[in-house]
Amino acid sequence: MNVMSKSSDVMKGDWKVSMTPDDIYRHPMDIAWTFDYGLSGDRVEDLYRRAKQNQWDSDEYLPWDTPVDPSKPLINARSDVYHQMPFFKKLSKSQQETFTAHSTAQLLSQFLHGEQGALMTAACVTHSVPDATAKLYAATQTMDEARHVEVYARYCDKIAMVYPMSPWLKALIDATLKSDRYEKVMIGMNMIVEGLALGAFNNMYRTTQCELLKKLTFNVMRDESRHVSFGHVYLGPVIAKLPEAEREDLADFAFQAISILMNAGTSGTIANRVDPGFMEVLANSGIDADDFFAGLKQAEEAGITQELPPGQIHSVHDLMMPALARVGLFTPTVRKKYEAGIPIFDDVQVLEAMEGGHPIAA
Ligand SMILES: [Fe+2]
Ligand SMILES: [Fe+2]
């Protein structure tokens, strides 16, 4: 089986995913100097120390010589929501395997592109946050994200498949990068995108059968749990001290960002129909798109694909929404907007377990 997709028949260093004029934009951002170099002595400083101690070099840590067969699924197929669809069960074994291999590659490609976005937002926080300890911490996050880009790029090279960035993820990160204050950059990245990523990494860690990908994911996840913590321990007190109008502005930004995500849908929903990368996955697997989405609709209406497999967590319910709730971003005013169709979740149990040095959900 040839698993080289149309959009990925590329060799190392020659990614086929092409840039558009929208990928370069000019944006004035406040840049903050500080001359108070004393460290804060609080949980932000603790995070900075943890970040320094937990730096790792993928050349040393990861078994890059592990053989990876890109024609075989990298994850346990039973953990994939699509495998629960009656339509999917009727496909041939070869088609199922090809689909699983390509849809996993498409997901890994989102990890790669998302990490580039995280690299840029972390650098942005480094120069725009006014607090010295937060600047040092954000610099460690910038290095973490550079490492994450490196490891996912190397892994995608190994499987020789890279899919384009999903439009909703690009829109979410662009809205974050184009925002007018560092607090919004941190809400968009450290709470929303990284909440999404931490859940996705947890699920990948639990389901992958590839030893290299498992170890890679574990190490990335440990870094990400610090990044999500930073959104809480630094930004929480900042938001609490803001005048009400500014807090409302941030709460509204969070709502707009969440709306991009919820309107577009995430992997596993029928909204993938508008994702060109996912359509390419179907084409590369020889699956008719109309038949696939009709099968998915039937499965969703029957409630078959609604439940996550055991051990997996839901990024929006368990991580992202609770992170926003914890720092007071569901104000009474903005709650009215959510009531129009986006449910709010505020149970922080899973979130706090994953931040507390236990990156894997219990
Ligand atoms: Fe990252
Ligand atoms: Fe991160």
Side-chain angles (χ1 to χ4, degrees):
M1 180 181 65
N2 178 12
V3 297
M4 303 282 276
S5 79
K6 283 200 301 285
S7 71
S8 62
D9 48 355
V10 292
M11 298 308 289
K12 189 166 183 164
D14 184 24
W15 303 117
K16 190 229 168 210
V17 177
S18 51
M19 287 175 62
T20 72
D22 291 341
D23 295 332
I24 297 177
Y25 43 80
R26 186 161 291 192
H27 180 57
M29 181 88 188
D30 285 351
I31 294 176
W33 279 90
T34 177
F35 297 102
D36 178 359
Y37 293 102
L39 292 180
S40 56
D42 60 8
R43 291 172 68 196
V44 181
E45 186 178 338
D46 289 344
L47 271 183
Y48 173 59
R49 296 202 184 289
R50 255 172 65 194
K52 285 195 299 177
Q53 288 158 4
N54 289 318
Q55 292 294 310
W56 51 282
D57 180 353
S58 85
D59 291 338
E60 288 175 18
Y61 262 67
L62 298 181
W64 285 112
D65 54 356
T66 304
V68 179
D69 179 356
S71 71
K72 294 291 176 203
L74 299 166
I75 61 167
N76 181 342
R78 281 168 307 186
S79 61
D80 183 334
V81 289
Y82 299 117
H83 282 73
Q84 299 164 41
M85 293 163 56
F87 164 81
F88 201 86
K89 289 177 183 167
K90 289 186 205 148
L91 297 174
S92 69
K93 185 165 183 289
S94 152
Q95 260 183 321
Q96 291 186 11
E97 284 198 351
T98 307
F99 173 84
T100 306
H102 278 271
S103 60
T104 307
Q106 195 231 356
L107 178 60
L108 287 168
S109 301
Q110 304 321 304
F111 292 173
L112 170 61
H113 305 314
E115 293 294 357
Q116 184 190 168
L119 171 64
M120 293 191 284
T121 58
C124 179
V125 172
T126 307
H127 68 231
S128 55
V129 72
D131 177 85
T133 312
K135 274 187 190 298
L136 299 189
Y137 174 79
T140 66
Q141 181 170 340
T142 307
M143 182 57 224
D144 291 345
E145 308 297 9
R147 183 169 49 247
H148 299 173
V149 172
E150 177 205 328
V151 297
Y152 281 115
R154 280 177 81 173
Y155 195 84
C156 287
D157 257 344
K158 246 178 132 60
I159 58 172
M161 282 189 277
V162 178
Y163 277 86
M165 189 169 190
S166 292
W168 63 266
L169 181 59
K170 179 78 164 42
L172 180 55
I173 297 181
D174 275 342
T176 299
L177 279 166
K178 290 177 179 177
S179 65
D180 57 355
R181 45 195 298 175
Y182 79 86
E183 294 97 326
K184 291 180 184 172
V185 176
M186 288 185 65
I187 289 166
M189 181 51 65
N190 297 72
M191 295 184 186
I192 296 176
V193 177
E194 289 179 325
L196 188 69
L198 193 55
F201 293 151
N202 173 77
N203 298 344
M204 175 63 79
Y205 174 81
R206 284 178 174 273
T207 56
T208 184
Q209 302 167 126
C210 170
E211 183 200 334
L212 169 59
L213 185 55
K214 200 172 189 75
K215 195 162 183 189
L216 181 161
T217 308
F218 180 82
N219 281 281
V220 169
M221 209 165 23
R222 202 170 55 163
D223 294 341
E224 294 301 343
S225 66
R226 279 197 307 275
H227 305 168
V228 173
S229 287
F230 181 54
H232 177 221
V233 301
Y234 180 71
L235 205 53
V238 169
I239 291 174
K241 287 185 206 134
L242 285 176
E244 192 182 337
E246 291 186 43
R247 197 159 55 241
E248 287 296 348
D249 182 38
L250 298 188
D252 197 68
F253 172 79
F255 172 75
Q256 301 299 338
I258 289 279
S259 298
I260 292 173
L261 180 68
M262 302 308 276
N263 290 338
T266 54
S267 175
T269 75
I270 206 146
N272 271 333
R273 184 180 254 295
V274 295
D275 189 319
F278 190 78
M279 298 303 280
E280 208 178 302
V281 168
L282 293 177
N284 287 331
S285 312
I287 298 173
D288 180 85
D290 288 336
D291 291 349
F292 180 88
F293 286 104
L296 183 56
K297 189 160 186 279
Q298 279 173 0
E300 287 186 347
E301 282 169 0
I304 293 172
T305 54
Q306 303 298 318
E307 292 295 319
L308 279 172
Q312 297 207 19
I313 59 172
H314 196 295
S315 297
V316 176
H317 300 186
D318 295 327
L319 301 172
M320 191 187 299
M321 287 283 187
L324 296 172
R326 194 169 54 173
V327 295
L329 287 172
F330 293 126
T331 61
T333 306
V334 88
R335 271 179 188 270
K336 294 193 180 78
K337 294 188 177 181
Y338 284 95
E339 279 166 13
I342 303 178
I344 289 174
F345 299 89
D346 55 9
D347 183 345
V348 296
Q349 206 177 332
V350 174
L351 173 65
E352 293 192 341
M354 292 185 78
E355 285 173 332
H358 304 286
I360 314 296

